[in-house]
Amino acid sequence: ISIPNGVTAINKGPFQNCGKLKEIEWGGVTEIGYAAFEGCYLLTSVEVPEGVTSIGDSAFSVCHNLASITIPEGVTSIGDSTFSGCVNLTSVTIPNSVTSIGASAFSGCNMTELVIPDSVTHIGDSAFSNCSSLTSVTLPKGITFIADSLFYECNSLKSIIIPKGVTFIGNEAFYNCTNLTSVTIPESVTSIGKSAFTFCKSLTSITIPEGVEVLASNIFNNCSNLKSIIIPRSLKFVEHSAFYKCLESGKVCYKGTAE
C-alpha cells in the first residue's frame, strides 16, 4: 500500500486485518493510530518513518509474521498492546526519544535481549509478559516502579537488576520466570506485590531491603530452590503462602530482634 503525501495520520484501524498486506509506503505520515495495521499477518518488516512521534494502541498487534521493526528517533510513546502477539518479532531497538511504553506493548513477542533506554520513565502492566525467549533485560534508571505482571511468564529470563529509585515491585511481576537465578533489589524498594516471584524455581537466594514491612501472599510460592532469604528489621507481617514449597532445606536470616 502507498499512503499519499497529504495524509499525516492513520487512525482507528483503516488497514485492520488486511491479511494480504505485505509492504507499506508511508508518504508523509507522522502519527500511527489505534489498530492501524492490527492483524496484518503477512507484514514481515516495518520501518516506521522519520517524523512519527507516537505509535498508537494495538497499531501492529497480532502481526504474526512481523520479524523486525525500526522505530525512529522522535517517537516518544509506544501505546498499549502496540506489538502484542507479534510472535516472530525477535529484535527491537527502542530509541532514546521514547519516554513511555504502554501496557502489554510487547506481550508475546520473542526477542532474546532488550535494552530499554534511560529516557523511558513509564512502563505499563504486562508490557513484556509472555516473552518466552527473553533472556536479558536492561531496565532504565528513571523508572520508579515495576508494573504488575511486567515479566509474567518470561521463562527464559535469567537475571534482572532493578534500578535504584524503584520503590514498588508489582503483583506477579516475575511470575513463572522459571529460569530466573538472580534478582538484585535496591534499597529504595519498600513494597513487593502478591505472587511477585511465584514459580521462580531457579531462584536460590534473595535479599529483601530495609523498609519493606510486608511479605505479600504467595510472594515466593513454589520457589522450590530458594535456600536463603535475608529479611530486614522493618518487616512486620508475612501474609499467607509467602514461602509455600520453598526454603525446605534452607534458612531465613532476620536482621531484627525477637521483640
Side-chain angles (χ1 to χ4, degrees):
I1 186 169
S2 179
I3 299 169
N5 285 328
V7 175
T8 58
I10 303 173
N11 292 317
K12 296 184 178 179
F15 306 106
Q16 191 175 29
N17 297 317
C18 289
K20 295 183 179 180
L21 182 61
K22 294 182 179 180
E23 296 182 10
I24 306 166
E25 293 181 11
W26 293 98
V29 170
T30 58
E31 181 183 346
I32 303 171
Y34 172 75
F37 299 96
E38 181 180 33
C40 295
Y41 56 83
L42 289 185
L43 281 176
T44 59
S45 177
V46 170
E47 186 171 344
V48 177
E50 298 288 339
V52 169
T53 57
S54 65
I55 305 174
D57 297 349
S58 303
F60 297 96
S61 65
V62 292
C63 291
H64 291 152
N65 286 305
L66 187 63
S68 67
I69 181 81
T70 301
I71 302 172
E73 287 287 342
V75 171
T76 59
S77 65
I78 298 171
D80 296 347
S81 302
T82 298
F83 301 103
S84 177
C86 294
V87 294
N88 281 300
L89 187 59
T90 57
S91 177
V92 63
T93 300
I94 300 171
N96 291 322
S97 54
V98 171
T99 60
S100 176
I101 298 173
S104 301
F106 295 92
S107 179
C109 296
N110 272 302
M111 51 274 196
T112 57
E113 296 182 356
L114 183 65
V115 177
I116 306 173
D118 287 338
S119 57
V120 173
T121 56
H122 173 82
I123 305 173
D125 294 350
S126 306
F128 304 102
S129 63
N130 294 289
C131 292
S132 58
S133 298
L134 190 63
T135 61
S136 172
V137 176
T138 302
L139 291 171
K141 296 175 182 178
I143 57 172
T144 57
F145 66 93
I146 302 296
D148 291 352
S149 304
L150 184 58
F151 297 105
Y152 183 96
E153 293 199 346
C154 291
N155 45 37
S156 295
L157 187 63
K158 295 179 180 179
S159 65
I160 191 83
I161 297 174
I162 297 171
K164 295 177 181 178
V166 168
T167 60
F168 173 68
I169 298 172
N171 299 328
E172 299 184 338
F174 299 96
Y175 185 99
N176 205 32
C177 292
T178 53
N179 280 298
L180 189 64
T181 59
S182 173
V183 177
T184 302
I185 303 176
E187 291 293 327
S188 55
V189 169
T190 57
S191 180
I192 305 174
K194 297 176 181 179
S195 303
F197 297 99
T198 294
F199 291 112
C200 290
K201 294 185 176 182
S202 297
L203 197 61
T204 58
S205 66
I206 197 160
T207 299
I208 307 297
E210 197 65 47
V212 173
E213 296 185 351
V214 177
L215 290 182
S217 59
N218 298 299
I219 186 171
F220 297 111
N221 189 320
N222 273 280
C223 292
S224 52
N225 282 302
L226 187 60
K227 307 298 183 185
S228 173
I229 181 167
I230 297 175
I231 293 175
R233 290 184 296 272
S234 57
L235 189 71
K236 295 180 179 179
F237 190 72
V238 179
E239 294 184 353
H240 69 84
S241 303
F243 298 108
Y244 181 72
K245 288 192 176 180
C246 65
L247 290 167
E248 293 181 0
S249 60
K251 64 179 181 178
V252 175
C253 178
Y254 174 56
K255 290 184 175 181
T257 65
E259 296 177 0

